[in-house]
Amino acid sequence: MRFLLNDLHCHSYLSACCHDKKLTADVMLEFADKHDYGALCITDHLWDSAVPNPSNWYRPQDIEHVKSSLPLPKGKTPFYFGCETELPANCVPALKKENFDLFDFVVIPPNHMHMNGLVRPNGIDSPEKMARLMEDRLEKLIEQDLPFNKIGIAHLTCGLMYVEGKAADVVAKMDEARLLRIFKAYAQAGAGIELNIGCIMTEYDEHPEEMLLLYRIAKEAGCLFYASSDAHEIKSLNLVPTHLPFLIEKLGLTEKDQYKIPV
């Protein structure tokens, strides 16, 4: 059985960082239907107004704001309503636990390290220190009482993790044995691990082993995977059909490895 094309992390014009005001839920669904996706989810950036201390950038992007995309259009592709909330420096998501029920799927990024202070603490000034911080954050997140069966762990190899260098620099310093233990906990909790196409492929040619290492460990741990264009403009929707088959082959993924949003 094959791993189906899907895109469970993409942004509309409602996200402040969206580069294309024509990127709407209708456009996403039309693209997904054309390419026979198994699932689609809209995940605009969100900071729950019930959670204190948002940045000025996040403050307007609250629950009512992202709900502006509702009702979602209907097509042949199952279309889910989600969000990408933040994981601040305290490792407590910027979405109250009781408000997870408002969403079909919640994407949590562990590595928005370009947000100094809000996410990245002072003193993290080397790939080694960032590697330890990333491991700590993943561990602290999975220790919380959250509905992990509807949570996706976003772009583990995102370049924003270490803007002074490359994501590969950090991955190369990570503790593989510790990561295996951490990912086993995510697998047991039922969380999805994101194959963020752009974040993987940006450094793949230069660092193929590092760009796939975390996903290989997650697969060994028994984690399930979903794909993401992380689109902020219409043309980025093409990342999934263009590159996901390559990654499926490289990681040896089949239907049994595919994360599915609970319904």
Side-chain angles (χ1 to χ4, degrees), residues 190-263:
I193 301 298
E194 181 173 298
L195 296 173
N196 188 296
I197 309 300
C199 290
I200 296 172
M201 298 308 299
T202 296
E203 296 183 28
Y204 182 83
D205 288 345
E206 189 176 357
H207 300 285
E209 294 304 316
E210 289 83 355
M211 286 298 98
L212 294 185
L213 178 62
L214 300 187
Y215 309 104
R216 294 192 192 283
I217 296 173
K219 185 185 178 190
E220 181 183 350
C223 289
L224 301 179
F225 300 87
Y226 66 93
S228 159
S229 67
D230 200 357
H232 289 71
E233 53 190 346
I234 290 174
K235 67 179 183 180
S236 294
L237 294 171
N238 281 303
L239 287 169
V240 169
T242 302
H243 297 289
L244 181 60
F246 171 80
L247 294 176
I248 290 171
E249 180 181 0
K250 284 294 181 181
L251 293 169
L253 300 179
T254 66
E255 184 184 39
K256 68 180 180 63
D257 302 302
Q258 187 148 34
Y259 170 83
K260 296 179 182 179
I261 293 174
V263 294

Side-chain angles (χ1 to χ4, degrees), residues 24-35 40 73 77 79:
T24 64
D26 291 284
V27 168
M28 292 175 189
L29 181 59
E30 181 180 1
F31 188 90
D33 282 352
K34 177 181 177 181
H35 292 277
L40 174 69
T77 305
F79 197 0

Side-chain angles (χ1 to χ4, degrees), residues 39-87:
L40 174 69
C41 187
I42 187 170
T43 54
D44 284 308
H45 287 287
L46 176 143
W47 190 292
D48 189 341
S49 58
V51 177
N53 303 318
S55 66
N56 290 334
W57 185 82
Y58 261 120
R59 186 170 287 108
Q61 300 179 96
D62 60 10
I63 291 174
E64 291 307 309
H65 177 73
V66 301
K67 285 174 68 176
S68 299
S69 63
L70 297 176
L72 294 176
K74 296 185 181 297
K76 67 179 183 179
T77 305
F79 197 0
Y80 298 97
F81 176 60
C83 69
E84 179 179 9
T85 195
E86 191 52 76
L87 189 67

Side-chain angles (χ1 to χ4, degrees), residues 2-37:
R2 64 189 180 95
F3 191 100
L4 298 175
L5 293 180
N6 63 96
D7 192 347
L8 302 189
H9 177 185
C10 48
H11 298 270
S12 79
Y13 69 94
L14 292 174
S15 288
C17 53
C18 182
H19 309 311
D20 190 341
K21 299 309 178 185
K22 295 181 180 179
L23 184 50
T24 64
D26 291 284
V27 168
M28 292 175 189
L29 181 59
E30 181 180 1
F31 188 90
D33 282 352
K34 177 181 177 181
H35 292 277
D36 296 320
Y37 280 15

